[in-house]
Amino acid sequence: EVQLVESGGGLVQPGGSLRLTCAASGFTFSAYMMAWVRQAPGKGVEWVSGIFAPDGRPGYADSVKGRFTISRDNAQSMLYLQLNNLKIEDTAMYYCAKGATATSMTNDWNPRGQGTQVTVSA
């Protein structure tokens, strides 16, 4: 059974930083693309960042490029997202999602974990 457990969210002021962590189990982590997606209240799920399995190459949404950094530790089956220079509009529930293959995600961003809340407020 695929399990994805996110942690590291919290309340931070604009300009602050957080590091999100996702602990994965139940599948061969190193063989799958992984991603972070987010959902703000009243809005749809938004892709934030993804990282390919074979070479660890990352990709970012334009809204977070230059501020967020995704990484993975295949030996520990861990996914990370470093969030720097946070903005109020980054407030959302952040989810870790498992890919469909080494280089693609599913259409509905499932399976994903229960999420960790990031709130950016002055």
Side-chain angles (χ1 to χ4, degrees):
E1 178 189 4
V2 172
Q3 287 196 326
L4 301 165
V5 180
E6 303 93 336
S7 61
L11 174 64
V12 64
Q13 292 184 338
S17 297
L18 287 172
R19 190 191 194 207
L20 307 185
T21 297
C22 172
S25 62
F27 64 101
T28 304
F29 181 80
S30 60
Y32 289 90
M33 181 174 182
M34 297 295 295
W36 289 96
V37 298
R38 67 186 181 186
Q39 188 169 23
K43 295 189 176 181
V45 176
E46 175 191 18
W47 176 75
V48 174
S49 179
I51 186 166
F52 290 130
D55 58 6
R57 182 161 48 96
Y60 300 95
D62 287 343
S63 59
V64 307
K65 200 171 294 182
R67 300 188 297 120
F68 292 7
T69 303
I70 191 171
S71 61
R72 63 190 298 162
D73 182 340
N74 288 336
Q76 299 295 323
S77 296
M78 299 290 287
L79 181 71
Y80 304 100
L81 187 67
Q82 178 68 40
L83 292 68
N84 295 331
N85 191 21
L86 281 159
K87 303 177 180 181
I88 291 176
E89 53 263 40
D90 293 319
T91 295
M93 185 72 78
Y94 284 71
Y95 299 91
C96 162
K98 173 185 171 290
T101 69
T103 56
S104 67
M105 300 298 296
T106 61
N107 291 334
D108 61 357
W109 310 112
N110 283 315
R112 58 181 186 254
Q114 83 290 345
T116 186
Q117 178 68 39
V118 172
T119 302
V120 186
S121 175

